[in-house]
Every structure is written in structure tokens, then in C-alpha cells.
Amino acid sequence: MKFSLIFFSNSYPDDAGGAYGAISEFARFGDDHGFEAVWVPERHFHSMGGIYPNPAVMAAYLAAITKKIRLRAGSIVVPLHHPASIVESWSMVDNMSYGRVDLALASGWNVNDFVLAPEAYGDLRGIWLARVAEIRALWAGRPQTYRNGAGENIQITTHPRPVQPEPDLWLTATKQPETFRMAGEMGMNVLTMLAGISLEQLADKTRLYRAGRASAGLDPDGGTVSLMLHTYVHEDPESVHNAVRAPFLQYIRTSLLSHLQGGAVDAGRSLSDEEIDEMAEYSFERYFETAALFGTVDQTRRFALEAKRAGVDEIACLLDYGPSLSDIRANLPYLAQLKKSFEAADAGYQ
């Protein structure tokens, strides 16, 4: 099991030393303690995550303050961007980081994000999947044909040329089982989350992913399934509950409202504050027990092992969903212990 750090909100601009202080601090921690990667999201027009409108810019800054940790887009909303623009930006980061770039590619879901490309919303899934091949081709230096300002079709190649001949690519998949199979057939990795499903249900999807790889003539045991989990690890279980309950409830409320406003959830009618609170309470109890990396090192290790049995290769630890900055800092040494326990087991020690 590998461990990485993922960000989505960041609500600590003042006590973190600026809007990007927290992600900078935690990326340095991950770099110093051997975490696999840091994932930077793409978010638009919302207080939750809106400080990350361009993950390539953030990754370029992190490239200068880290040495080894992978720098991942988590995720690029592909239909909002021309493929050449994606490759140009991330090729720059690949050069700045000496070849540490990975890309997760998503379709997007929030209708308001498509202010940036309104014509793409009606076929966002089709555009998303079609552009994967273009991104791969441009990254490899193969010319692609596009229409220029005069209406003429011309061939282009992008510059600068990246350090890596081919980046590791993730397909961001949550609800549709067929997307997991498709990712396997395309030879891509998968970034996912427990969005209303159990680990047992995720196991069915990871089997589809492995079957997709096999059907494409690829090693079915290859590739990476990365699972995003809300994370808080501490020696005291009561401290875990106290640290995460209030901020996680608020996180769920805000996320639910964002999905309702963005068109990802069709409630059929307006939900009252009481109904939203009830849904948040239910979600919290479910997440705390069965869908998050919450607990002591031993408790979270058992959960991580269950995830591994479900076909997960990497846990992307979501940190900035609302706990105080001091609480996140207190959790990090225990999270590092959890990671080390798997490294020791892999080395033959128990």
C-alpha cells in the first residue's frame, strides 16, 4: 500500500501563513517522509477549493520547494481546457520538477464550472475521453491537427518538450462501473472515492478495472487504483472524534450544497436546513465507521488492509476538509507511522 496526500478545500489562509501555506507545509512534510505524491485539485467559483483554479500553477510552486514527491493533478477538468494548453502547462512543471508530474483527468460535474467552456457541458464525458488520446499524443511529441484563427487546419507540436516521455495518467472515476473497465482498457490508473459505496462494492469495480487491463493485453495486476479517503490518525480515539466531527459535518453540508447547486445531485425540490443537517449526520456516522481513515495507527492499518483486499493500491489522504491546522499537524506523525508500518511489512518485518 502506498500513501499520498490530497487537497480539496484549504480553509486555513490566516493561521497557515497565507492561502497556500498549508499545502506548502504539508507537501514539504510528505517530501521529507517519503509519501508517494501530493495531489492538487482543480476547483472553480466556490469557497470550498476555489483557491485552486489552476493546479499546474500550484504544482510549479511545489516543484521548487520539494525534491522527490510526485506532483499530481488531482484532477484536471479536461473539457474545460484545450488539450494543447494542458500539455504545455504540465510540460513546464515536468521540466521544473525534473520529471515528477502525474496527471489525473476528470470529466467535471459542476455546471457552474462550465462558465469556462459552456459549449462542452452537453457532451462533457465524450470530450473528456476523446481528449485523453490527444493529451497522450501531444505529450509524446506527435503532431495533432487543430483549426487556427483563420479557420485553417494546421498541425502543431507543443513546447517545451517534457522530461518524461510519457506521464502516468489516472482516470478519475466514481459512480460508473464501466469507467473502471475503460480505464483498464486504456492502460490508465484510477483515482476514486467511496461516494456512497462500501469497500465491498468498490472491490467489484476494481475487478472490472483488472478485467479491462486483461482484455487489452495488459498485465491485470499492473496499474494503480488510488482511493481518496478523509484522514485523521492519532493515538487517542476520542481525540480523533473530537477533531473531525464538527468540521466534517460542515464539510458535508458545504459539499452537498455545492453538488445541489452544481447539478450533480437532483433532489427534485429544495431541501430544508433540517434535512441537510440530517443527511450530514448520517453521512458522518457512515464515513467515520466505514469510509474514512479515522482512528489510531492500528485501527487505520486494519482499514487500509481492508482497502488493499478490495483492490486498492494507494490511499490518497485528504487532509484539508476542515480540521484545524493544529489538529492536522498533530495527525501527520501518526500518519507517517501508518505508512511506515506497511513499508516494514513489505520488507518482511511484522
Side-chain angles (χ1 to χ4, degrees):
M1 181 67 74
K2 299 175 182 178
F3 291 84
S4 55
L5 306 176
I6 192 166
F7 296 84
F8 188 76
S9 174
N10 194 347
S11 55
Y12 318 102
D14 296 329
D15 51 353
Y20 304 102
I23 190 172
S24 302
E25 176 183 340
F26 301 145
R28 286 191 183 100
F29 180 91
D31 196 42
D32 292 340
H33 290 81
F35 282 78
E36 188 73 13
V38 56
W39 303 78
V40 183
E42 178 180 351
R43 302 276 287 148
H44 298 282
F45 316 129
H46 200 278
S47 58
M48 179 184 285
I51 69 165
Y52 298 121
N54 190 326
V57 173
M58 189 72 242
Y61 171 68
L62 296 179
I65 64 171
T66 59
K67 297 178 181 178
K68 297 174 292 184
I69 197 166
R70 305 290 300 177
L71 305 173
R72 291 185 184 156
S75 304
I76 300 167
V77 183
V78 171
L80 300 183
H81 308 283
H82 194 287
S85 179
I86 293 172
V87 174
E88 284 180 333
S89 296
W90 285 95
S91 292
M92 290 179 67
V93 182
D94 204 47
N95 278 272
M96 295 174 187
S97 65
Y98 302 101
R100 289 190 279 138
V101 160
D102 303 321
L103 305 178
L105 308 177
S107 64
W109 54 267
N110 192 319
V111 65
N112 294 334
D113 289 357
F114 283 79
V115 165
L116 300 175
E119 71 286 349
Y121 187 72
D123 187 30
L124 59 84
R125 184 176 175 85
I127 293 170
W128 168 45
L129 296 174
R131 288 182 180 174
V132 171
E134 295 176 58
I135 290 167
R136 280 176 151 164
L138 288 165
W139 191 283
R142 297 193 296 273
Q144 297 293 290
T145 300
Y146 298 106
R147 191 177 299 274
N148 69 9
E152 302 167 334
N153 288 330
I154 62 165
Q155 284 195 331
I156 63 163
T157 54
T158 58
H159 299 278
R161 300 305 312 137
V163 173
Q164 300 177 100
E166 182 177 359
D168 274 347
L169 296 179
W170 274 252
L171 208 60
T172 302
T174 53
K175 296 181 180 179
Q176 300 296 330
E178 191 56 33
T179 306
F180 284 76
R181 180 187 293 277
M182 191 180 309
E185 293 172 348
M186 296 168 72
M188 298 176 69
N189 306 309
V190 171
L191 174 63
T192 190
M193 61 186 293
L194 296 177
I197 65 171
S198 64
L199 282 175
E200 291 76 13
Q201 291 168 309
L202 178 61
D204 294 335
K205 294 181 177 182
T206 62
R207 282 190 284 271
L208 285 175
Y209 173 68
R210 302 298 172 191
R213 288 185 60 88
S215 69
L218 302 170
D219 178 5
D221 295 325
T224 298
V225 175
S226 300
L227 174 63
M228 186 193 82
L229 290 174
H230 297 77
T231 298
Y232 193 88
V233 187
H234 198 275
E235 63 182 352
D236 178 22
E238 185 176 352
S239 295
V240 175
H241 197 278
N242 292 340
V244 305
R245 187 180 187 279
F248 196 72
L249 284 171
Q250 184 58 39
Y251 173 89
I252 295 171
R253 292 187 190 100
T254 305
S255 182
L256 178 60
L257 288 171
S258 175
H259 279 73
L260 288 169
Q261 295 165 0
V265 175
D266 182 9
R269 59 180 177 82
S270 297
L271 296 177
S272 68
D273 291 342
E274 291 77 13
E275 288 172 316
I276 291 173
D277 287 344
E278 288 177 5
M279 293 175 71
E281 286 282 357
Y282 174 80
S283 297
F284 171 73
E285 294 302 329
R286 173 188 169 270
Y287 264 90
F288 194 90
E289 297 296 334
T290 65
L293 203 64
F294 291 158
T296 65
V297 171
D298 287 342
Q299 289 170 333
T300 53
R301 177 175 168 79
R302 287 194 292 272
F303 187 86
L305 287 170
E306 291 178 14
K308 188 173 184 178
R309 286 191 286 271
V312 174
D313 305 292
E314 176 185 40
I315 294 176
C317 301
L318 180 62
L319 299 179
D320 65 337
Y321 54 90
S324 70
L325 194 60
S326 61
D327 280 334
I328 296 178
R329 287 169 175 153
N331 137 88
L332 287 175
Y334 299 104
L335 180 56
Q337 286 183 31
L338 173 63
K339 183 182 73 69
K340 286 183 179 179
S341 74
F342 277 87
E343 293 169 354
D346 289 342
Y349 302 105
Q350 299 296 329

